[in-house]
């Protein structure tokens, strides 16, 4: 019997797994997908919010501000990108300056440090490409940008190094209460466990309803984006919001940690929890809204568009805690934005919650806080590059010309303890396919390497999720 089973290997599940691996426990982290971070964690704005958006005294406000303080150290510890570039909420009229003042006051109430209201001159100094219609802004220097899926992979690797078991391709279908603990039925297995943590993203309400009366409903709220080429990355220096709209913080313009420009999202409530399609009309809305921030956004350099689904709860706040009358079953649900920013603090809180419920957790004296470092070939000096190529010639072969990724880095990403097994899994780990040609050149080589390293046929390598085959059969 496992001590703890965590359902959902997104940023929240991987943080909880890593936090619990600090104790001597049998922990299972399971997911229905064929990779970690294949839900909302793979498609979002990647902002570590400062914490002025959420209403004071909510879980969102508390964990956002706490998580923001923790994020940079954790990213450094696990060797994933993070940049504290600050954020601006821009007003385009004197009426909107009233909203700016409200956000400022809310930020003060939430204990967000160093907030400042900027006048037009100060704003233009920070952001020379801002629209001439801007009149002022709220500046939050503690906001940052990050690599959400890179962090989830790193957390999962670190958790597995510390003894956590990862089980992919297992969808939870049913859960029975046992005399002590729970029996989880997946499409492949039966799993007995003392405690369950439900962090199943858009499906967290359905997992909850397997053991208790319905208490909340999760609506999938889709957001669509444009990703622009690296040459557009310097259009803005910080994360630039407009004033919030009814169900969203609105369309944002920001650089990514890899130097691209990201523009989006819109917000559209759907019924279908799998609908991550992009649509012309919504992307047009994103484009028009973003032009309000800056007319200088070079939309002729768009390299791709994508969509993600917020797990939006009807309770409006994060739902985190043991279900009443259902001992040892913890919901971590409704983790919409700022869930990413809040995730380190949520992980810590949930581990403490279980520790208090059980009362006998013992620390793991062998816990290691770092993971095996990866080689980022292009960041090395010429001497270091030559040294590595001498040891392993695969680092001398460039597979992705747009992003300068070597075969050695791809092979390493496949053979890590939470290795990639799909084309997009490799793309999200080490970036072949993220460049201007979007894999047009490197994708067939990545498939060949995956097939060779995993001992599979070319046709058995999926693009991303289950049933996303690229090649079906050989023609010649
Ligand atoms: C458009 C958009 C923009 C956002 N921008 C930001 C931002 O800039 N900053 C920020 O802080 N937050 C942002 N967020 C929110 C943030 O992305 C989420 O809060 C966070 O990714 C949620 O992580 P999670 O682990 O809870 O969910 P997920 O990543 O969705 O993980 C849940 C996992 O559960 C698995 N699962 C579901 N059902 C089952 C089942 N039956 N059996 C087994 N496994 C199951 C799924 O496969 C999935 O991997 C944004 C969200 C969206 C959609
Ligand atoms: O649109 P929201 O409010 O869900 O926020 C999403 C991101 O955090 C910012 O783009
Ligand atoms: S060669 Fe890899 S993205 Fe272009």
């Amino acid at each position: 019997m496992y001590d703890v089973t965590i359902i959902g290997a997104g940023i929240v599940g991987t943080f909880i797994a890593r936090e619990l691996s600090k104790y001597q426990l049998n922990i299972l982290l399971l997911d229905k997908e064929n990779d970690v971070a294949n839900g909302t964690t793979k498609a979002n704005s990647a902002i570590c919010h400062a914490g002025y958006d959420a209403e004071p005294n909510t879980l969102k406000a508390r964990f956002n501000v706490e998580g923001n303080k923790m994020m940079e150290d954790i990213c450094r510890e696990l060797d994933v990108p993070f940049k504290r570039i600050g954020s601006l909420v821009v007003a385009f009229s004197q009426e909107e300056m009233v909203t700016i003042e409200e956000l400022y006051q809310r930020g003060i109430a939430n204990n967000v440090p160093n907030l400042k209201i900027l006048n037009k001159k100060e704003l233009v100094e920070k952001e020379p490409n801002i629209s001439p219609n801007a009149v002022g802004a709220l500046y939050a220097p503690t906001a940052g940008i990050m690599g959400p899926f890179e962090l989830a992979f790193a957390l999962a690797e670190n958790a597995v190094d510390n003894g956590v078991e990862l089980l992919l391709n297992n969808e939870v279908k049913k859960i029975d209460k046992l005399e002590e603990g729970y029996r989880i039925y997946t499409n492949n297995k039966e799993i007995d466990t003392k405690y369950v943590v439900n962090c199943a993203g858009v499906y967290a309400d359905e997992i909850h309803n397997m053991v208790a009366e319905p208490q909340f409903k999760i609506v999938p709220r889709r957001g669509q984006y444009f990703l622009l080429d690296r040459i557009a990355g310097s259009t803005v220096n910080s994360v630039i919001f407009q004033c919030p709209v009814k169900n969203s913080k609105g369309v944002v313009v920001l650089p990514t940690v890899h130097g691209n420009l990201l523009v989006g999202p819109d917000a559209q409530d759907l019924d279908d929890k799998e609908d991550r399609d992009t649509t012309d009309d919504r992307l047009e809305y994103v484009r028009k809204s973003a032009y309000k921030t800056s007319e200088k956004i070079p939309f002729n350099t768009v390299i791709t568009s994508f969509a993600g689904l917020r797990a939006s709860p009807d309770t409006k706040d994060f739902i985190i805690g043991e279900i009443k009358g259902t001992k040892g079953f913890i919901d971590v649900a409704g983790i919409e934005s700022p869930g990413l920013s809040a995730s380190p603090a949520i992980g810590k809180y949930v581990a403490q919650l279980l520790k208090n419920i059980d009362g006998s957790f013992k620390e793991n004296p062998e816990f290691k806080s770092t993971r095996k470092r990866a080689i980022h070939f292009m960041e090395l000096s010429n001497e270091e590059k030559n040294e590595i190529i001498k040891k392993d010639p695969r680092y001398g072969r460039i597979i992705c010309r747009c992003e300068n990724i070597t075969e050695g880095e791809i092979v390493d990403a496949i053979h890590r303890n939470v290795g990639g097994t799909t084309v997009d899994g490799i793309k999200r780990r080490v970036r072949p396919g993220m460049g201007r040609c979007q894999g047009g050149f490197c994708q067939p080589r990545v498939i060949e390497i995956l097939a060779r390293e995993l001992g599979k046929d070319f046709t058995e390598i999926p693009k991303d999720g289950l049933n996303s085959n690229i090649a079906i059969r050989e023609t010649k």
Side-chain angles (χ1 to χ4, degrees):
M1 180 181 265
Y2 290 98
D3 293 309
V4 186
T5 298
I6 301 162
I7 304 173
I11 194 73
V12 173
T14 53
F15 252 118
I16 293 169
R18 191 224 188 200
E19 206 52 45
L20 285 170
S21 74
K22 294 178 179 169
Y23 301 97
Q24 295 178 40
L25 298 168
N26 283 327
I27 302 162
L28 179 68
L29 173 62
L30 78 84
D31 204 289
K32 68 184 173 62
E33 295 293 320
N34 56 6
D35 204 350
V36 167
N38 238 356
T40 301
T41 300
K42 77 175 173 187
N44 52 65
S45 308
I47 301 162
C48 186
H49 291 285
Y52 49 75
D53 300 286
E55 291 296 335
N57 305 316
T58 58
L59 294 180
K60 281 183 180 175
R62 171 183 165 187
F63 291 130
N64 184 164
V65 176
E66 278 179 32
N68 178 293
K69 285 196 187 122
M70 298 162 75
M71 193 68 87
E72 192 167 7
D73 285 347
I74 291 171
C75 288
R76 193 177 311 113
E77 209 164 31
L78 293 174
D79 188 27
V80 290
F82 179 91
K83 289 182 186 164
R84 204 176 283 286
I85 61 171
S87 69
L88 294 159
V89 186
V90 176
F92 296 91
S93 64
Q94 286 311 322
E95 293 84 78
E96 285 193 345
M97 282 308 284
V98 177
T99 308
I100 297 296
E101 177 63 32
E102 279 167 16
L103 289 174
Y104 174 80
Q105 292 303 339
R106 209 187 290 166
I108 301 292
N110 291 348
N111 292 318
V112 180
N114 304 326
L115 289 173
K116 194 178 169 211
I117 295 182
L118 307 184
N119 61 29
K120 181 161 183 163
K121 184 166 168 281
E122 292 166 318
L123 170 60
V124 174
E125 266 164 30
K126 277 200 180 304
E127 294 293 346
N129 287 332
I130 202 80
S131 159
N133 300 326
V135 298
L138 174 66
Y139 175 50
T142 53
I145 50 174
M146 50 187 292
F149 38 84
E150 288 101 324
L151 181 55
F153 294 137
L155 289 161
E157 283 182 19
N158 188 226
V160 168
D161 277 342
N162 286 308
V164 170
E165 205 179 303
L166 174 67
L167 180 65
L168 298 170
N169 300 309
N170 272 265
E171 179 169 356
V172 175
K173 298 282 191 188
K174 182 173 112 145
I175 304 176
D176 282 345
K177 282 189 208 174
L178 304 176
E179 214 150 277
E180 200 205 357
Y182 296 88
R183 178 161 298 153
I184 298 173
Y185 300 82
T186 76
N187 50 332
N188 290 315
K189 276 178 177 272
E190 288 178 19
I191 296 156
D192 287 356
T193 183
K194 213 163 154 189
Y195 305 117
V196 180
V197 183
N198 163 24
C199 33
V202 286
Y203 292 99
D205 50 352
E206 294 173 32
I207 298 289
H208 169 104
N209 296 349
M210 290 179 190
V211 293
E213 286 302 309
Q215 279 165 11
F216 57 88
K217 188 171 159 26
I218 304 288
V219 173
R221 179 174 293 158
R222 187 173 60 185
Q224 302 189 29
Y225 293 89
F226 289 108
L227 184 70
L228 279 67
D229 192 33
R230 280 180 200 251
I231 52 171
S234 55
T235 311
V236 297
N237 301 313
S238 36
V239 176
I240 309 189
F241 296 92
Q242 299 173 5
C243 285
V245 293
K246 192 176 125 254
N247 56 0
S248 165
K249 290 182 265 304
V251 170
V252 198
V253 182
L254 70 150
T256 71
V257 281
H258 300 288
N260 298 78
L261 191 75
L262 185 62
V263 181
D266 70 325
Q268 184 184 16
D269 288 356
L270 305 175
D271 297 320
D272 183 352
K273 292 183 173 182
E274 295 296 323
D275 187 351
R276 292 181 181 84
D277 290 346
T278 54
T279 59
D280 283 348
D281 59 330
R282 304 304 299 187
L283 284 173
E284 191 47 33
Y285 164 81
V286 169
R287 188 197 307 262
K288 278 202 179 128
S289 307
Y291 270 140
K292 188 176 158 194
T293 297
S294 170
E295 288 129 31
K296 305 251 173 75
I297 298 168
F299 276 106
N300 57 340
T301 66
V302 166
I303 57 175
T304 192
S305 56
F306 65 90
L309 294 176
R310 304 163 179 88
S312 200
D314 55 0
T315 61
K316 308 290 175 215
D317 197 6
F318 295 159
I319 299 151
I320 304 178
E322 188 178 42
I323 304 178
K324 269 203 190 102
T326 311
K327 193 172 177 311
F329 196 106
I330 315 289
D331 278 334
V332 189
I335 312 297
E336 59 181 344
S337 178
L340 191 58
S341 325
S343 55
I346 294 176
K348 202 165 167 213
Y349 178 80
V350 171
Q352 188 61 44
L353 204 69
L354 278 168
K355 192 177 170 206
N356 294 345
I357 291 171
D358 184 278
S360 69
F361 285 9
K362 286 193 190 62
E363 281 190 13
N364 172 4
E366 280 160 23
F367 175 78
K368 282 190 218 77
S369 64
T370 55
R371 62 170 177 149
K372 185 182 141 205
R373 284 186 87 85
I375 292 169
H376 307 291
F377 189 76
M378 281 301 153
E379 291 168 17
L380 302 177
S381 67
N382 282 345
E383 293 75 48
E384 288 168 327
K385 281 180 184 156
N386 287 335
E387 203 50 44
I388 283 177
I389 293 171
K390 244 189 253 160
K391 281 194 209 137
D392 186 344
R394 292 174 299 187
Y395 283 93
R397 286 196 282 275
I398 298 282
I399 300 298
C400 177
R401 291 183 188 174
C402 299
E403 294 289 309
N404 285 324
I405 308 298
T406 65
E407 181 174 357
E409 287 162 283
I410 294 171
V411 170
D412 177 60
I414 296 170
H415 292 299
R416 290 187 153 255
N417 62 3
V418 181
T421 56
T422 67
V423 171
D424 284 358
I426 295 301
K427 171 171 151 179
R428 284 193 279 273
R429 281 170 176 81
V430 281
R431 299 187 57 76
M434 287 282 187
R436 190 179 290 183
C437 85
Q438 286 289 292
F441 175 78
C442 61
Q443 191 186 79
R445 291 288 294 122
V446 173
I447 302 174
E448 271 169 21
I449 296 168
L450 272 164
R452 182 190 75 208
E453 296 297 317
L454 298 174
K456 290 188 172 175
D457 190 70
F458 196 92
T459 55
E460 289 176 293
I461 304 299
K463 180 174 185 308
D464 195 5
L466 308 164
N467 309 319
S468 63
N469 295 38
I470 300 172
I472 296 166
R473 64 190 152 78
E474 254 181 66
T475 51
K476 284 191 210 159

